[in-house]
Amino acid sequence: MPKEPNHPAEARKNQQQQKSTRETLRKIAPFIAPFKWKIAGLVLLTAVLSVLAMLPPLFTRAIINEVIGLRRDSLLPGLAVMMILVPILHAAISYIQIIGIAYIGQTFVLRVRMAVYRHMLGMHIGYFQKNSTGKLTNRLMGDSSVMQQILNVASVQVVSDLVCSLFAVSATLYINWRLSLPILVVLTLFVANYRFNIVKIRRAWISVRSSEDRLASGVQDRLVANLTVKTYGAEEREQEVFNSQSVALMDHLVVGWSASSNFNINTMLLQDTGRTCIYFLGCAMVLAGAASYGDVTAFTTYAMQILWPAVRFSQLAEQLQNVRISADRLLEILDAQPEVTEKPGAVRLEGNVRGQVDFDKATFWYEPGKVILRDLDIHIQAGETVALVGPTGCGKTTILSLLMRLYDVQQGAVRIDGVDVKDIAKASMRRQFGIVLQESLLFQVSIADNIRYAKPEASFEEVVNAAKIAEIHDDIDAMPEGYDSVIGTRSVQLSVGQKQRISIA
């Protein structure tokens, strides 16, 4: 015996999806709120465009029935002028609408992108170890661009479509209610097509986005570690990994495009079938004397102004699914909470910091149950020079990370000059450190800007003095553009040692 569908479970699933959609919209709303009056103005323009689009069929009907049918020649000049002026006015308003929507859409994307980037910069270091750079970059740049579709011509066109549809439905019922019945049947089939396909489309494109994340992460990792790849002659192996990830993405894309194509083909088929049925039904009614030729012409035009919005809404619904997927992926970043937070009124380290460091019974773990440091007691007086020596994995880097408060201890305390680092403003504390990393990471800006990165307000004389202390001044001075040379360009090729000395400076 076949198993009956679990209707309560399906209902709960639908309720959860609706709740998720409402939650997504609630979180996106603050980004849209600053544009509410501009959007209202564009909606008003759209309504005007809708009214203008409704007029030509009435003019055509009047020409056929009144001018040609009843020989009222005096109406022709006025109707001709109106049929010329209406498209000109429609084009002018459309231009203003398109420019306005483009501005709002780009500004909206900019605000979302800045908010996500600001939040990412505020996250703790562990967040970036769990989420690859390629994945975060793909979401920051790619998904934010997709979200622009929520504010484009098609989305604002919904208002126009609603106005046109209501007007067209009223007009068709007024002209000939019998011809309206096929339209109602076709609209019902549009709704069924949407309900049947949209879930498949959403699942398919979620898989596509996940594959894109994996591919972007892999490319980022391998390009950054290019020296390691070449050192071990692993180019062919890495090419195979890239190929396999690309093929996996292509497979998901095929599934996604297949689902979208089925939806779009059904939509266009319904539109064409509906138009054909209405046309031949109208012809039959003209032959039977149940309708005039002018009525059928106007009716067919209005019928298309009902069916075309249905087509556009179907296409827009698919776009909005992509927007929702991108919004959920960006909101996943915005919802992530930093593990290292700053207390209100945190102490700022200003002036001379003596440099006394104390670890008081500090206990720390990255994952619960896997303690890295237990009851660590270290007391370093100001001015002392201390070296931490030990095998790989014993906790040397972890101790430095706790001192700089890249992580927080779970038990005990870490203090600088007797003040718990949890009570100190992070930025003011970290500016007191000078660090040379194992791998020298420089930005693609001028050498001078790289040297003054920890102190943006440093003068040029201070930059030069720091370079002399690090014994890199002569090398920089020998470059064609000196301290203005931009790292990463063809004219600036630095050795590993030169990069290290610039980092020291």
Side-chain angles (χ1 to χ4, degrees), residues 8-157:
E10 189 68 24
R12 285 195 299 270
K13 184 177 179 180
N14 290 335
Q15 290 176 355
Q16 290 174 353
Q17 289 178 346
Q18 293 173 0
K19 182 179 179 181
S20 175
T21 301
R22 289 195 298 269
E23 185 69 13
T24 299
L25 291 174
R26 184 184 66 81
K27 292 179 179 179
I28 292 177
F31 295 103
I32 302 178
F35 309 106
K36 59 183 179 181
W37 294 116
K38 293 183 177 67
I39 294 174
L42 291 173
V43 169
L44 180 61
L45 287 179
T46 304
V48 173
L49 289 174
S50 303
V51 174
L52 293 175
M54 292 292 102
L55 297 179
L58 293 178
F59 297 153
T60 303
R61 181 172 182 262
I63 291 174
I64 294 173
N65 288 349
E66 302 295 328
V67 178
I68 298 176
L70 301 178
R71 310 300 299 178
R72 299 175 63 180
D73 299 346
S74 60
L75 296 178
L76 184 59
L79 290 171
V81 171
M82 293 301 295
M83 291 192 74
I84 294 173
L85 291 179
V86 166
I88 294 174
L89 183 59
H90 189 281
I93 296 177
S94 296
Y95 175 79
I96 297 173
Q97 181 200 48
I98 292 171
I99 296 299
I101 291 174
Y103 169 78
I104 292 175
Q106 290 295 333
T107 308
F108 167 72
V109 169
L110 180 63
R111 287 175 179 267
V112 171
R113 195 171 283 164
M114 289 192 300
V116 173
Y117 187 65
R118 184 183 304 111
H119 188 79
M120 285 168 55
L121 289 180
M123 293 301 295
H124 57 284
I125 196 68
Y127 179 81
F128 298 97
Q129 294 175 346
K130 295 177 182 177
N131 297 275
S132 70
T133 305
K135 170 184 172 181
L136 295 176
T137 303
N138 188 42
R139 294 193 178 192
L140 176 66
M141 304 305 295
D143 287 317
S144 60
S145 296
V146 172
M147 284 189 66
Q148 185 182 355
Q149 294 178 7
I150 201 173
L151 289 175
N152 61 10
V153 176
S155 58
V156 177
Q157 187 71 28

Side-chain angles (χ1 to χ4, degrees), residues 96-328:
I96 297 173
Q97 181 200 48
I98 292 171
I99 296 299
I101 291 174
Y103 169 78
I104 292 175
Q106 290 295 333
T107 308
F108 167 72
V109 169
L110 180 63
R111 287 175 179 267
V112 171
R113 195 171 283 164
M114 289 192 300
V116 173
Y117 187 65
R118 184 183 304 111
H119 188 79
M120 285 168 55
L121 289 180
M123 293 301 295
H124 57 284
I125 196 68
Y127 179 81
F128 298 97
Q129 294 175 346
K130 295 177 182 177
N131 297 275
S132 70
T133 305
K135 170 184 172 181
L136 295 176
T137 303
N138 188 42
R139 294 193 178 192
L140 176 66
M141 304 305 295
D143 287 317
S144 60
S145 296
V146 172
M147 284 189 66
Q148 185 182 355
Q149 294 178 7
I150 201 173
L151 289 175
N152 61 10
V153 176
S155 58
V156 177
Q157 187 71 28
V158 170
V159 178
S160 174
D161 290 341
L162 289 175
V163 175
C164 289
S165 297
L166 291 175
F167 189 95
V169 167
S170 302
T172 53
L173 291 173
Y174 171 76
I175 294 171
N176 195 313
W177 66 269
R178 293 180 182 86
L179 282 173
S180 302
L181 297 179
I183 296 178
L184 296 178
V185 174
V186 173
L187 290 178
T188 302
L189 293 176
F190 270 113
V191 174
N193 180 43
Y194 169 80
R195 295 294 298 272
F196 180 75
N197 286 291
I198 204 67
V199 174
K200 295 180 181 179
I201 292 173
R202 175 172 172 77
R203 290 174 180 170
W205 286 105
I206 287 176
S207 298
V208 168
R209 299 295 178 79
S210 298
S211 291
E212 287 176 344
D213 280 348
R214 286 191 292 272
L215 183 60
S217 299
V219 171
Q220 172 77 23
D221 292 343
R222 286 159 183 82
L223 291 180
V224 170
N226 186 50
L227 178 60
T228 303
V229 173
K230 291 186 179 300
T231 299
Y232 292 99
E235 290 92 342
E236 289 297 327
R237 185 170 73 245
E238 294 302 340
Q239 182 65 50
E240 290 176 4
V241 173
F242 177 80
N243 291 348
S244 64
Q245 291 178 336
S246 298
V247 169
L249 173 59
M250 184 182 69
D251 291 340
H252 287 300
L253 281 170
V254 169
V255 175
W257 283 117
S258 296
S260 298
S261 296
N262 289 338
F263 178 68
N264 291 327
I265 289 173
N266 291 341
T267 298
M268 300 306 296
L269 181 62
L270 287 172
Q271 182 214 5
D272 293 338
T273 303
R275 178 176 57 188
T276 303
C277 291
I278 292 169
Y279 177 76
F280 281 105
L281 181 59
C283 291
M285 295 185 70
V286 170
L287 294 174
S292 68
Y293 178 67
D295 288 347
V296 172
T297 301
F299 184 92
T300 304
T301 303
Y302 282 127
M304 290 308 302
Q305 290 179 345
I306 295 174
L307 295 180
W308 265 115
V311 172
R312 282 196 294 266
F313 176 77
S314 299
Q315 295 169 343
L316 179 61
E318 182 184 358
Q319 289 181 3
L320 291 179
Q321 287 300 314
N322 286 330
V323 169
R324 181 186 166 188
I325 293 170
S326 294
D328 288 341

